[in-house]
Amino acid sequence: MSYSRQSMGSGSSGARGYEFGRTYVVRPKGKHQATIVWLHGLGDNGSSSSQLLESLPLPNIKWICPTAPSRPVSLLGGFPCTAWFDVGEISEDLHDDIEGLDASAAHIANLLSTEPTDVKVGIGGFSMGAAIALYSTTCYALGRYGNGLPYTINLRATVGLSGWLPGWRSLRSKIESSNEAARRAASIPVILAHGTSDDVVPYRFGETSAQALAMAGFRQVMFKQYEGLGHYTLPKEMNEVVHWLASRLGLEGSR
């Protein structure tokens, strides 16, 4: 029995009315134990994510692969393409597009909000998708979005490949100001992986993001360095993600 992919209609409107694109679902071929929203990189779509994920030996995971809105991107001189938020440059300060970050994080939370209560939920992504996965993880720890509205999804795992954490400089002070935020930060496992030859999101941004998370009290952060890897994924890297998810989420057949 093979994985089935289901195509769902376009979703909610994001910041400034940008429409999220089509969502693709990879159904579990075994007992449904976990659901992970997987987020594509700049200019990509949910379909290509689903094709990668349906080949992974994780029969107990349901994958939800949304497509970002098409919007003008400052990094590309205002050229429109699919993007989870607007980005001009990657930086440690949160002068990123908070409205866009929050809209995408809320869209992802909405996709997870209808999952059964006995199913563990997580978020993963590549490049800009990893950035939004990590931003969502900080929203989970703080219990709120950047705009102050409550974040209510109980995340259990985060995967970030070749990405970065938006606004990492201010994270520690925010987490340390709340015992509840510190407890949630300490409870969620996070795996980050980055290639040393990445010429799109330089390696140092991945490494610094992992360090910033650890210093802010995220105690279960694993950072994997891939020597010579550019801005793409490797089978070896995906295999490590498979094993990490299976053990962290306690999936059947993983012990």
Side-chain angles (χ1 to χ4, degrees):
M1 180 182 171
S2 63
Y3 292 92
S4 66
R5 272 193 294 145
Q6 173 189 332
S7 173
M8 297 162 64
S10 60
S12 57
S13 294
R16 299 179 202 91
Y18 294 128
E19 282 286 321
F20 287 90
R22 190 171 287 280
T23 295
Y24 298 81
V25 175
V26 180
R27 301 262 164 217
K29 64 180 182 184
K31 180 183 176 186
H32 183 198
Q33 293 181 290
T35 296
I36 296 176
V37 172
W38 190 269
L39 307 162
H40 62 75
L42 183 66
D44 209 342
N45 59 65
S47 177
S48 56
S49 299
S50 68
Q51 291 171 45
L52 166 71
L53 298 167
E54 69 181 345
S55 67
L56 300 181
L58 287 167
N60 305 113
I61 292 182
K62 170 184 171 183
W63 300 96
I64 301 177
C65 307
T67 300
S70 183
R71 70 175 82 215
V73 177
S74 299
L75 187 69
L76 305 175
F79 184 82
C81 70
T82 53
W84 298 108
F85 54 97
D86 186 32
V87 59
E89 60 174 338
I90 300 169
S91 134
E92 64 190 17
D93 298 308
L94 201 54
H95 54 58
D96 285 302
D97 171 19
I98 294 287
E99 189 183 356
L101 285 162
D102 278 347
S104 288
H107 182 68
I108 296 155
N110 187 50
L111 291 171
L112 289 170
S113 65
T114 54
E115 290 303 294
T117 53
D118 61 339
V119 167
K120 298 169 183 174
V121 299
I123 305 179
F126 173 76
S127 190
M128 178 183 254
I132 217 51
L134 292 172
Y135 179 75
S136 294
T137 305
T138 63
C139 292
Y140 159 72
L142 294 167
R144 64 181 188 275
Y145 294 95
N147 61 18
L149 292 174
Y151 186 91
T152 57
I153 303 298
N154 182 25
L155 290 182
R156 301 293 292 273
T158 302
V159 179
L161 308 181
S162 307
W164 75 96
L165 171 64
W168 63 79
R169 176 184 281 185
S170 61
L171 179 62
R172 184 176 179 178
S173 60
K174 291 177 184 173
I175 297 287
E176 288 179 346
S177 66
S178 160
N179 288 336
E180 187 61 22
R183 183 190 67 76
R184 282 194 292 260
S187 74
I188 184 166
V190 179
I191 184 170
L192 302 181
H194 218 108
T196 58
S197 298
D198 194 323
D199 57 352
V200 177
V201 181
Y203 172 81
R204 71 178 184 278
F205 288 116
E207 187 176 45
T208 305
S209 296
Q211 291 167 350
L213 286 165
M215 287 179 65
F218 288 79
R219 295 180 189 164
Q220 300 184 60
V221 176
M222 175 181 283
F223 182 72
K224 302 289 292 186
Q225 169 187 317
Y226 288 89
E227 199 66 42
L229 177 66
H231 197 65
Y232 49 88
T233 60
L234 279 177
K236 178 186 175 188
E237 180 184 31
M238 295 311 295
N239 286 341
E240 297 222 29
V241 169
V242 165
H243 291 302
W244 184 87
L245 282 171
S247 65
R248 286 291 181 274
L249 295 174
L251 303 179
E252 283 182 5
S254 63
R255 291 179 289 281

